[in-house]
Amino acid sequence: MTRAATAKLGAYTALAGLGLLGALVAGRPELVALAAPFAAVLVAGLSLAEKPDLKALFDLDQERQVQGETVAAELELWSRRGHSHLELLLDLPDGLVAETPNPQLISLAGDERRPIDHTIRCERWGAYLVGDLVLRSQDPFGLLVHEWTIERKRPLKIYPHGETLRRLLRPLDTQAFAGNQVPRARGEGIEFADLRPFEPGDRVRRINWRATARRGEPWVTETHPERNSDVVIFLDTFLEARLADESTLDQAVGAAGALARHYLAEKDRVGLVAFGGVLNWLTVSSGLVQLYRVLDSLLDAEIFLSYAWKDIDLLPVRTLPPKALVLAISPLLDERAVRALLDLRARGFDLAVIEISPVPYAAAREGRLDELAWRLWLLRREALRSRYLRLGVPIVEWRAGTPLQAALEEVRRFRRHARTLRV
Amino acid sequence: MLSLAGGLVFRWSAALAAGIALLGAEQAVRLATGPSHADPWTPLYAAGFLLAAELAWWSMEPRVPSFSDLPVLVNRLAVIILSCAGGAVLAALVVLAAGAPLRGGVGLEVVGVVAAAAALTVVATVARTRVR
């Protein structure tokens, strides 16, 4: 707690002193009378000023919320002594905005419990600690100001608001576990595949009686099994392009959250690799718990500047299971991420790259040289995309404002016609 | 008045204090050139000076845009009104004491100096020690 004298204290002291000295010099008692009220205010104000004794309770109505939604916060203050002038600020971290008036100027009577409700809008995804209160109390005469903070931190996780996807990218191969995917292979399942003549060993329940009656010999129905797939979301966190409150990382995290949610809803197994200055990974798994694991890991995603060379050998083997679809979300700004993706392709992974375009975040400056540099940079990015395409890696440029579904459809169109290439 | 207005416009505390002090000085000159007996209107002037100072500092207090409780305003007004009324009573007591039939002299002058110094010392001491 800090205590500071206001300018008023100094001014009143000076006025009282001048009045008293002036009275002595001029020999006029009226000047004492003029100075006396100022001196009286000083004595009364300083005598009544006490160290504030304030208790506070703070709580949030929920610990998790989606970006763009609101959270209700309840603050309760009470004090044995009254406060005639109490300024109260709920100090919110960047990314959270109070919709209710903040700060507030209130008065608190002695032994009064004062509830104050706040509505907090979650502007940006992330993991926050909310509950820093900054208080400033003035004595009744406004001579002294006490400032202090009360920490009643409560965790608040804001998940990215991902868009709804109607159709997902399918991996080239499925896994052995049950899921919603229909593979090319035939086996036990309910999806019709074909009809064929009965062979020894076929189960009787597989006999297609209509086909058998038509052909005069037993025929069986072949089906596709229902399988799941493994999807690894590869998040490039080496660098980001930022403009005001938006960045390529925000876009990438939103997309990763949406993809994880939809793949897990379809019983696929999803893993996460945050490849950047700090390496973070999550092995593939399925279910609601995995969804929250992925989302919590995404909240930790941040740009951590590092010059250390990193490649995918640093990743544990289990994070990249065989036949998994690796969905890379990257602004392709860092050479290490570019190389790592090429390395993944060279190792035969089923790779698709969603390039979060940094172009809208970096406008060209005026001037011939700057414009030339800008065009060269765009050409280099175009060349990089061509390099991926030549290797059979679908790559799509995704800009802010366009739906993620459009980018996925573009990847799907490429994969429909491109052949898998071993390099 | 110009200094007072400048202090209000530029939210400058020193100019405000100077403005009030100059008003006090003007009053002192008027008293020095006037009759020798104590001015009976002095308590009213004292309350007026205090009111002007209180309102001036209230208007230039550092503040942020915030929601404000009505009781804060009521409390502040009550404090100002009571201060001015109390100040007027105190000034009246001083004026009454000044009118008392006491004979002046070096001794009384020394007592006055000591009283003035003691008053300022009390203020300084209270400011330093009252709140920790």
Side-chain angles (χ1 to χ4, degrees):
Chain A
M1 180 181 291
T2 59
R3 185 191 67 163
T6 60
K8 188 177 169 184
L9 176 64
Y12 275 30
T13 308
L15 287 172
L18 278 174
L20 294 174
L21 289 174
L24 286 172
V25 171
R28 298 296 303 198
E30 290 90 341
L31 291 179
V32 177
L34 291 179
F38 291 97
V41 166
L42 288 175
V43 173
L46 294 172
S47 304
L48 292 174
E50 287 179 304
K51 190 177 175 181
D53 172 29
L54 197 79
K55 302 259 186 298
L57 280 177
F58 181 78
D59 209 1
L60 298 170
D61 72 332
Q62 45 197 322
E63 292 184 349
R64 294 185 173 93
Q65 186 54 285
V66 179
Q67 188 179 356
E69 298 295 321
T70 57
V71 175
E74 188 179 313
L75 173 67
E76 192 178 69
L77 299 172
W78 80 92
S79 172
R80 284 185 193 166
R81 291 190 286 270
H83 290 268
S84 59
H85 182 113
L86 182 67
E87 287 176 44
L88 170 71
L89 170 72
L90 177 61
D91 193 11
L92 295 171
D94 289 342
L96 300 179
V97 177
E99 286 195 334
T100 41
N102 187 38
Q104 295 194 6
L105 176 59
I106 61 168
S107 68
L108 203 63
D111 280 331
E112 180 194 356
R113 282 180 177 270
R114 179 75 178 268
I116 296 170
D117 294 326
H118 278 292
T119 305
I120 300 170
R121 176 162 292 283
C122 311
E123 297 272 327
R124 189 176 187 268
W125 57 273
Y128 300 98
L129 286 173
V130 187
D132 279 345
L133 304 171
V134 182
L135 299 119
R136 183 159 57 188
S137 172
Q138 257 186 31
D139 68 288
F141 291 89
L143 300 176
L144 291 173
V145 174
H146 290 85
E147 274 191 24
W148 73 106
T149 56
I150 296 178
E151 291 186 359
R152 297 284 182 271
K153 293 182 190 296
R154 294 285 178 273
L156 178 62
K157 288 178 179 174
I158 310 299
Y159 294 129
H161 181 69
E163 61 185 271
T164 303
L165 303 173
R166 284 180 298 171
R167 205 156 57 153
L168 296 169
L169 276 186
R170 290 292 157 220
L172 296 175
D173 291 305
T174 54
Q175 302 291 326
F177 301 102
N180 288 0
Q181 313 296 325
V182 180
R184 292 183 185 84
R186 292 165 189 184
E188 289 294 324
I190 57 171
E191 289 289 331
F192 176 80
D194 204 356
L195 290 171
R196 65 167 172 78
F198 181 84
E199 287 177 1
D202 283 339
R203 297 169 71 179
V204 176
R205 60 181 291 200
R206 286 270 166 205
I207 293 175
N208 188 317
W209 295 106
R210 282 173 183 257
T212 300
R214 204 175 300 126
R215 287 175 170 82
E217 58 174 347
W219 277 61
V220 293
T221 304
E222 282 189 315
T223 54
H224 291 296
E226 289 79 36
R227 295 280 183 258
N228 75 343
S229 56
D230 286 352
V231 178
V232 177
I233 297 168
F234 187 95
L235 196 65
D236 172 10
T237 58
F238 275 114
L239 285 175
E240 69 171 345
R242 176 171 283 279
L243 189 66
D245 292 339
E246 293 183 358
S247 74
T248 52
L249 183 67
D250 292 342
Q251 243 183 293
V253 167
L259 288 168
R261 195 171 79 245
H262 285 85
Y263 275 112
L264 287 167
E266 298 206 350
K267 297 178 185 167
D268 291 326
R269 298 196 304 171
V270 175
L272 177 74
V273 174
F275 195 68
V278 174
L279 209 55
N280 193 7
W281 65 82
L282 206 60
T283 53
V284 289
S285 187
S286 57
L288 189 62
V289 174
Q290 179 70 358
L291 174 61
Y292 280 102
R293 278 196 208 115
V294 171
L295 292 175
D296 286 348
S297 295
L298 285 174
L299 298 188
D300 292 335
E302 60 177 344
I303 303 299
F304 188 85
L305 194 62
S306 164
Y307 295 104
W309 183 260
K310 289 181 179 171
D311 56 31
I312 58 169
D313 287 336
L314 292 172
L315 292 173
V317 178
R318 288 198 307 144
T319 55
L320 295 167
K323 298 181 182 177
L325 167 65
V326 179
L327 265 174
I329 306 172
S330 165
L332 296 180
L333 288 170
D334 193 279
E335 185 62 22
R336 290 166 291 188
V338 172
R339 289 283 176 88
L341 293 177
L342 292 172
D343 198 2
L344 280 175
R345 180 69 195 94
R347 294 178 190 211
F349 280 98
D350 179 14
L351 176 68
V353 180
I354 298 171
E355 180 205 348
I356 311 284
S357 177
V359 176
Y361 298 93
R365 288 186 184 176
E366 288 184 7
R368 279 186 60 197
L369 276 178
D370 285 326
E371 279 183 17
L372 183 64
W374 166 259
R375 278 164 41 209
L376 280 174
W377 180 60
L378 292 182
L379 281 173
R380 284 186 65 181
R381 296 192 63 80
E382 194 62 45
L384 181 63
R385 276 195 288 274
S386 300
R387 190 176 170 193
Y388 278 109
L389 291 172
R390 277 200 309 275
L391 293 172
V393 178
I395 178 168
V396 57
E397 187 184 17
W398 180 42
R399 295 198 177 205
T402 51
L404 177 61
Q405 185 70 64
L408 294 180
E409 287 302 319
E410 201 171 327
V411 173
R412 181 199 306 283
R413 191 169 57 85
F414 179 90
R415 283 161 70 94
R416 191 181 298 149
H417 301 295
R419 289 184 180 175
T420 311
L421 182 72
R422 299 290 171 201
V423 287
Chain B
M1 290 301 285
L2 275 177
S3 176
L4 200 59
L8 287 173
V9 170
F10 298 110
R11 304 174 74 86
W12 186 20
S13 176
L16 278 186
I20 302 287
L22 286 172
L23 284 176
E26 187 190 350
Q27 181 72 0
V29 170
R30 194 181 67 81
L31 290 170
T33 55
S36 59
H37 62 83
D39 185 359
W41 294 100
T42 301
L44 205 61
Y45 293 141
F49 280 146
L50 185 61
L51 181 66
E54 284 288 335
L55 293 178
W57 260 280
W58 192 4
S59 69
M60 58 158 284
E61 252 177 21
R63 63 173 70 91
V64 287
S66 64
F67 166 79
S68 180
D69 260 354
L70 184 63
V72 177
L73 178 70
V74 174
N75 286 346
R76 188 68 183 262
L77 281 174
V79 166
I80 290 175
I81 291 167
L82 287 176
S83 301
C84 292
V89 170
L90 192 64
L93 288 175
V94 171
V95 171
L96 281 177
L102 287 174
R103 296 180 64 190
V106 178
L108 200 59
E109 200 115 331
V110 170
V111 170
V113 171
V114 170
L120 291 177
T121 308
V122 166
V123 168
T125 308
V126 170
R128 191 168 57 85
T129 61
R130 182 64 194 167
V131 181
R132 292 282 177 203

